[in-house]
Amino acid sequence: MKHKNFAGSLQRFVQGHVVFMAFLMALAVFCVNIILNPRSLNRNAFGSILALTSLLALSGAGQTMVVITGSGIDLSAGSIMSLTAILSVQLMNGANQHIGLCIVISVALGALLGLCNGIGVTKIKLPSMIITYAMSNVITRLQFIVTEGKPTGSAAPALSAALSYRVLGLFPAILFYCVVLSVLLFVLLRHMKYGKRLYLLGDSHSVAHYTGIANDRMVLLTYVLAGILYGVAGLIGAGYFAYVTCGMLDVYTMRSIVAVVIGGAVLTGGKGTYFGTIAGALFMVVLSNCLAVLSVRDCVQNIIMGLVIIGVLTLYNRDKSVRQ
Amino acid sequence: MKRLLYRLKTAPYFTGLILFLTILALNVVIQTPARFFSAANINSLVAKNLPLILITMSQGLLMMSGVIDFSVGVQVSLSNVIAIMIPQSLGLPIWVGWLCAVAGCVAVSAFNGFITTYLRIPVLLSCYSMVFVVKGLNVLIMPKPQGSVPPVIYKTYDSVLLGFLPFSALILAAVLLFWLYLKRTAFAKALYATGGNLRHAYSSGINTSAVRMKVYLIAGVINGIAGLCMTAMTASGDPNAGEVYGLKTVAACILGGISMSGGWGTLSCALYGALLLILTQNGVSNLFNFLSRAIPGFSVTNYWQNFASDLIILLALILTVFTNKAMMGSIKKQADYLALGGKRNEA
């Protein structure tokens, strides 16, 4: 019996400290990685882990907010990122003069596509998964039409330099954008009216409605904000990778969702923080880095990745039992 | 007549049927009736798209019981690679390979069902992780597209019986007949109850976990059969061919009128939804061919065709809302009428 109590208290501890657990798991995987392959502990690898984590965390910012509203998940994240990345790379074309214009276009385009998603969810009342999936298909096709399948150009050198510059030879500059964004989001979600309403809305739509919150307007606003964040993340991705192909950042859709969930958000809404998303992103990146360092074949990597996600979710993201 | 109209309007497949008939009419107009209804055209349409239709049906079953599975797409590929690789690398007879293919899909589905119903992982995430696992398995079994099947199999699959009946339509009919049988059993009632409201179903004495497990197993069998159809259609194996189907089937089910939250819909909804996707693709490519013949100098890339068909699907999804509203309106009217003491089906 004592053993069962221990397991129970362990489970309670895990469920109470999800963000901490995600960091801990990332650390554990990183340690395993170093023990198995000591050479992987170098500045370059460490820097690239941080950079990729930052990129994933940036793309997960919008997703976190959408998940908190409890209206579902946003499957158009990756395709919006790809579209803004492709457009800005084509516009910049290796020169510095259009950076400002690119930022404006990315934000405007993200906002527009987010608005379409939001209208689909709130006014037309389709499941968000379906409307954002259909939107992402259309957006991906648009990329192919705009570029005729072969994007040209490269990111502006100034932008690339501003993103891939390593402070002290270790911390990539992209990390600082991520930190700035996380502080902004923390203030927005925890200390502003908008954030408090968002959590209340996610907890219970009807309670929020009776409290006097305009639910539809909140959800719409969230999708627009999320769209803007995807647009900016796409621009940053373009600057970081310098060259793009059609649909290159599409993988970030699912990665961001998993990062958000590993970070303790619940798909029914009302729970989750941006720090959790960062922790989840770190775990995902460290895990895939570890598998890559061990030179496991791609397909085995996929299998291990899937099983680990299942295991992690079993630990702390289970639905309520029907008996309760 | 009025009664018939009413029954049609309140049937779950109302949405799917309306959209399907619209797109069918457009297709017939573009392709001319004689060409569209020719046996060869119907055969190629059904035979080429049977895997998609079948997995849409298995997705429909799952959605009716309140769960979703994106991994149906990769399961088709799993069945495909097993059916090719077991005879090829182990030298076993083909039927062993095909049985193993179906068994493989059932095993994957069962595992998926176990983690969603008994471990209670949120269904969207569990099936997403399963996509990873199965995708990896597929490439592990067959690293690159290869293999062949005996000519007799793909010739049979492509044949037209009695001059008008495609062989592939028989497989479809078999699945539909199975559904017609299933619909009359107590299991179907339990399925709808589980999908409609899990807790109410549980408290009325239904073993909801077992019901969902059974649905997963049935879906696994259908996915396996879909994979075999894919094998017969392409006459080779491709580990990555099925992944795109995963989310498409969910969209098809919604288009057909199956509710995402479960408990509403029939398999004919899934059929109409899948046919809608197929005919959209077909109609758009025919339209562009027609335009390029009719207008000299008109030429567009494949990208525009894909864009147009995806845009039409987005619009169709938006349209489902209005048909749903019409349907719900008449159901509500009937309910009000019954509450006042009227007789059924006379509203």
Side-chain angles (χ1 to χ4, degrees), chain A residues 29 32 36 39 74 104 126 134 184 193 240 268 279 298 312:
Chain A
V29 174
V32 169
L36 290 176
R39 264 186 309 158
D74 191 343
V104 173
L126 277 169
L184 282 180
K193 234 187 235 169
Y240 181 72
T268 47
D298 257 3
V312 169

Side-chain angles (χ1 to χ4, degrees), chain B residues 8-332:
Chain B
L8 182 74
K9 221 174 162 188
T10 51
Y13 55 77
F14 174 65
T15 310
L17 190 63
I18 295 291
L19 292 172
F20 164 70
L21 288 178
T22 319
I23 204 84
L24 182 70
L26 286 177
N27 261 282
V28 172
V29 169
I30 292 168
Q31 252 183 316
T32 67
R35 289 243 307 278
F36 183 81
F37 287 112
S38 68
N41 187 40
I42 297 285
N43 181 38
S44 87
L45 269 183
V46 179
K48 245 196 293 176
N49 296 300
L50 189 59
L52 176 64
I53 299 175
L54 286 180
I55 55 171
T56 307
M57 287 182 167
S58 71
Q59 183 76 269
L61 265 181
L62 289 164
M63 278 172 76
M64 278 180 243
S65 73
V67 283
I68 281 182
D69 191 356
F70 302 148
S71 71
V72 288
V74 282
Q75 281 181 38
V76 166
S77 289
L78 179 72
S79 161
N80 181 6
V81 296
I82 294 178
I84 292 283
M85 287 315 269
I86 282 191
Q88 189 178 315
S89 53
L90 301 181
L92 291 167
I94 285 178
W95 62 269
V96 176
W98 286 41
L99 273 184
C100 287
V102 176
C105 276
V106 172
V108 167
S109 257
F111 182 68
N112 201 353
F114 172 74
I115 57 176
T116 40
T117 56
Y118 291 102
L119 292 185
R120 302 197 304 273
I121 296 176
V123 61
L124 284 177
L125 298 164
S126 71
C127 67
Y128 168 62
S129 351
M130 284 308 286
V131 169
F132 264 108
V133 175
V134 179
K135 203 162 73 176
L137 275 179
N138 289 346
V139 181
L140 200 64
I141 296 170
M142 180 192 277
K144 58 180 192 303
Q146 55 179 299
S148 62
V149 295
V152 61
I153 290 174
Y154 61 79
K155 279 195 180 137
T156 318
Y157 180 75
D158 239 357
S159 62
V160 180
L161 305 175
L162 304 173
F164 69 93
L165 189 65
F167 179 79
S168 41
L170 286 184
I171 304 172
L172 189 60
V175 176
L176 281 176
L177 275 180
F178 169 70
W179 166 246
L180 281 184
Y181 158 73
L182 201 68
K183 215 172 148 185
R184 277 160 181 67
T185 57
F187 174 70
K189 283 206 176 63
L191 188 155
Y192 280 118
T194 309
N197 190 322
L198 193 66
R199 294 186 65 167
H200 294 180
Y202 180 81
S203 45
S204 67
I206 294 170
N207 186 347
T208 50
S209 303
V211 168
R212 281 199 174 155
M213 256 330 257
K214 275 185 204 155
V215 174
Y216 269 105
L217 291 181
I218 296 171
V221 174
I222 299 179
N223 295 340
I225 294 172
L228 296 183
C229 292
M230 185 111 146
T231 315
M233 178 184 88
T234 58
S236 68
D238 184 351
N240 297 317
E243 204 193 337
V244 285
Y245 288 150
L247 276 161
K248 237 185 205 174
T249 54
V250 181
C253 285
I254 300 275
L255 284 172
I258 297 178
S259 153
M260 184 113 160
S261 48
W264 181 257
T266 66
L267 268 205
S268 42
C269 295
L271 180 65
Y272 292 133
L275 288 178
L276 182 69
L277 285 193
I278 293 158
L279 287 180
T280 308
Q281 196 93 38
N282 181 52
V284 167
S285 84
N286 275 320
L287 179 67
F288 277 91
N289 281 341
F290 173 74
L291 285 180
S292 66
R293 259 183 288 123
I295 308 168
F298 179 90
S299 82
V300 287
T301 48
N302 236 348
Y303 304 130
W304 278 100
Q305 291 191 14
N306 291 336
F307 177 69
S309 50
D310 275 340
L311 201 61
I312 292 172
I313 289 167
L314 179 64
L315 292 179
L317 277 171
I318 293 170
L319 276 184
T320 57
V321 176
F322 297 105
T323 47
N324 272 342
K325 217 176 245 171
M327 181 170 73
M328 286 306 165
S330 30
I331 288 177
K332 193 165 175 296

